[in-house]
Amino acid sequence: MAKIVLDAGHGGTDPGAVGNGLEEKKVVLDIAKKVRDILNSSYNGASVQMTRDTDKTVSLQARTDQANAWGADTFVSIHINAGGGTGYEDYIYPGLSGTSNSAKMRNSIHTEVTKVLSKYGIRNRGKKEANFHVLRETKMGAVLLETLFIDTVADANLIKNATYINDISKAYADGIAKALDLSGGGNEPGDGTTYTVQTGDTLSAIALRFNTTVEVLVALNNLSDPNTIYVGQVLIISASSGTQMVIVKVDNLSVRSRPSWDASAIAGTVNKGEAFTIVRKLPVDDAEMYELKSGLYITASPVYVDVKNV
């Protein structure tokens, strides 16, 4: 069993870096929890501890003492950068060989992160070294990850993007798992189109694992309650190729019984976050609507809805 310590930097009375309406301590805790959930739900052979799983103050010494006392195999410290720059960088302790456990872990994570950087057009600031306490005082391989710059608007906007946070969290988890040769990580059990619910699964963890959203899974599977799934249940994860879903962006948006803007066509309302399968787009007067699989119609205006390929 590989022992992994995830260290969400700062916390409690120490907010870490602050900028653009964000606090580092909150963002990194969110990422660390997602990484933990992916490792637990997608991979076999991992035992994960966190130096904090709430907003509390934890000293640097307490963090490394915890990892050393447990006999951890790897220590991953997650941070958000500051100082007016842009992009991603990661660190190991100075002078370590390229074959060290720290270097192996850093290289594996960096490889996975590079895919995310390319997807979002983020600058890769490279692999670096630093005499940080958590790298120096840990007795196992240790890395420190700097996830964008909180005080740069473009970077902060990405940090506020839930899809980006899911992507970078998955990259961290996949990199850790590959460095430790953990089994799993594919779409099993299932073929990528379906997934069979396992013990301990939640819909949010499944959504994170397959880079989708709870709302999409609810719509694809006609779930009445997203909190009620059962072991052995087969969920549709992605629809047939080319299928699109509309995601509602506002509350109290009208859906209609026919393709008409007339008030008499209103059949009800839907709320922000709800998702529906699209059958087709069609012109209605001087605008456009989506016909939904349910037989209802909804505006196609990007002001009110987003479209997601599934």
Side-chain angles (χ1 to χ4, degrees):
M1 185 70 71
K3 295 182 176 181
I4 303 162
V5 172
L6 299 177
D7 175 44
H10 309 282
T13 58
D14 175 13
V18 177
N20 293 295
L22 297 167
E23 288 184 311
E24 180 180 4
K25 67 175 184 176
K26 295 179 181 178
V27 178
V28 297
L29 181 58
D30 181 37
I31 293 173
K33 286 181 175 180
K34 291 180 185 297
V35 174
R36 175 197 62 192
D37 290 347
I38 296 170
L39 289 170
N40 286 336
S41 66
S42 298
Y43 291 96
N44 304 312
S47 179
V48 182
Q49 283 192 8
M50 298 180 65
T51 56
R52 66 181 183 94
D53 56 11
T54 61
D55 183 18
K56 66 179 181 180
T57 303
V58 183
S59 70
L60 293 176
Q61 191 64 53
R63 296 168 194 258
T64 53
D65 283 351
Q66 175 186 338
N68 291 336
W70 189 39
D73 296 297
T74 195
F75 184 98
V76 179
S77 189
I78 301 171
H79 289 259
I80 305 293
N81 223 332
T86 184
Y88 167 88
E89 60 194 19
D90 43 40
Y91 291 85
I92 61 174
Y93 188 70
L96 295 176
S97 74
T99 59
S100 67
N101 288 335
S102 294
K104 179 182 177 182
M105 177 60 65
R106 191 263 293 279
N107 291 342
S108 182
I109 293 174
H110 201 97
T111 296
E112 297 303 313
V113 168
T114 297
K115 301 172 187 176
V116 178
L117 304 186
S118 297
K119 176 179 176 179
Y120 290 92
I122 297 169
R123 178 185 172 190
N124 187 340
R125 299 171 63 90
K127 304 174 183 179
K128 300 185 177 183
E129 298 180 347
N131 185 24
F132 295 137
H133 175 97
V134 294
L135 304 180
R136 181 182 66 249
E137 300 301 325
T138 41
K139 297 178 181 178
M140 68 294 304
V143 299
L144 186 144
L145 315 175
E146 292 280 10
T147 312
L148 301 183
F149 282 72
I150 204 167
D151 54 352
T152 297
V153 171
D155 283 21
N157 287 339
L158 279 174
I159 294 170
K160 295 174 183 177
N161 183 331
T163 302
Y164 168 76
I165 292 297
N166 285 346
D167 286 346
I168 199 68
S169 300
K170 187 173 188 304
Y172 289 166
D174 289 347
I176 293 167
K178 290 180 180 180
L180 296 172
D181 295 321
L182 301 180
S183 62
N187 292 340
E188 71 279 1
D191 59 5
T193 301
T194 63
Y195 173 77
T196 303
V197 177
Q198 307 293 298
T199 301
D201 277 342
T202 64
L203 204 62
S204 59
I206 295 169
L208 179 61
R209 173 177 177 179
F210 290 96
N211 196 28
T212 185
T213 66
V214 169
E215 291 77 16
V216 167
L217 293 181
V218 167
L220 285 174
N221 294 277
N222 296 315
L223 300 176
S224 59
D225 183 356
N227 296 314
T228 305
I229 56 175
Y230 56 88
V231 174
Q233 182 177 6
V234 178
L235 297 176
I236 299 171
I237 299 300
S238 62
S240 57
S241 178
T243 297
Q244 292 184 310
M245 301 198 76
V246 61
I247 314 295
V248 179
K249 297 169 66 175
V250 299
D251 287 330
N252 299 314
L253 182 65
S254 295
V255 288
R256 299 167 184 270
S257 60
R258 62 183 188 276
S260 169
W261 300 112
D262 192 89
S264 65
I266 296 176
T269 60
V270 292
N271 293 313
K272 182 177 180 179
E274 293 189 67
F276 307 93
T277 303
I278 296 171
V279 174
R280 60 178 175 140
K281 181 191 281 187
L282 63 160
V284 180
D285 298 332
D286 295 326
E288 293 178 311
M289 286 187 178
Y290 291 119
E291 180 183 355
L292 305 177
K293 188 176 180 181
S294 64
L296 297 174
Y297 297 82
I298 194 170
T299 176
S301 169
V303 174
Y304 302 106
V305 298
D306 284 326
V307 174
K308 181 180 180 66
N309 294 312
V310 296

